[in-house]
Amino acid sequence: MQQFYCITVGMDEDQIDFVFKALAHPERRRILDFLHRQGEQSLFEICAFSHAESGQPLARQTVTQHLDMLERAGLIDVSWKGRTKAHSVNLGPLREAIGHAVGTYL
C-alpha cells in the first residue's frame, strides 16, 4: 500500500477553512476561473466578464467584495499598473489546502 504524506508549511486549520469558504460561492469560483484563463485583470474587466457570462450585471461593490474575500484567502494577488489595480490568480494556497485536506484522509 502506498503511503502519502502532506506537509503544510505556513497554513493553520483556520486559514485552510478560509480558503474553502472563499471557494464556496459560485461567483468567486467564476472569477478565479476567469483570472486563471486571462491573467491579470482590472476590476472593470472582471465586472465586464461577469456581466457577459451571466447576462446579469453584478454591482461593482459586489465584485469588489468577492475580490476582497479571495485576496484575504490568498487566492488572488494584487499589483498596480499605474493607477489601475490588477488582479491575478494565486493557486498556491488552494494547492496547499487541498494537499492538507487530502493528506489527512490518506
Side-chain angles (χ1 to χ4, degrees):
M1 180 175 186
Q2 189 174 12
Q3 292 279 333
F4 293 94
Y5 298 96
C6 178
I7 299 171
T8 56
V9 177
M11 292 182 92
D12 62 23
E13 293 293 325
D14 290 337
Q15 291 168 318
I16 292 167
D17 288 345
F18 198 72
V19 168
F20 288 119
K21 286 178 185 174
L23 294 171
H25 195 285
E27 190 62 37
R28 289 193 285 266
R29 293 191 304 270
R30 278 193 288 277
I31 290 169
L32 278 179
D33 182 54
F34 173 66
L35 292 175
H36 183 68
R37 287 184 283 120
Q38 299 297 320
E40 288 186 336
Q41 299 290 310
S42 69
L43 174 62
F44 175 78
E45 291 165 324
I46 295 168
C47 288
F49 154 77
S50 180
H51 176 68
E53 180 151 297
S54 69
Q56 297 176 352
L58 287 178
R60 183 177 151 147
Q61 182 179 7
T62 301
V63 174
T64 299
Q65 289 172 348
H66 286 311
L67 290 171
D68 182 57
M69 178 77 163
L70 292 168
E71 185 178 354
R72 286 185 287 134
L75 295 169
I76 61 170
D77 292 326
V78 175
S79 61
W80 288 91
K81 292 188 173 197
R83 294 173 45 174
T84 303
K85 198 175 183 181
H87 305 84
S88 59
V89 71
N90 177 8
L91 296 178
L94 177 58
R95 287 185 185 111
E96 193 169 344
I98 290 171
H100 181 272
V102 171
T104 60
Y105 296 107
L106 295 177

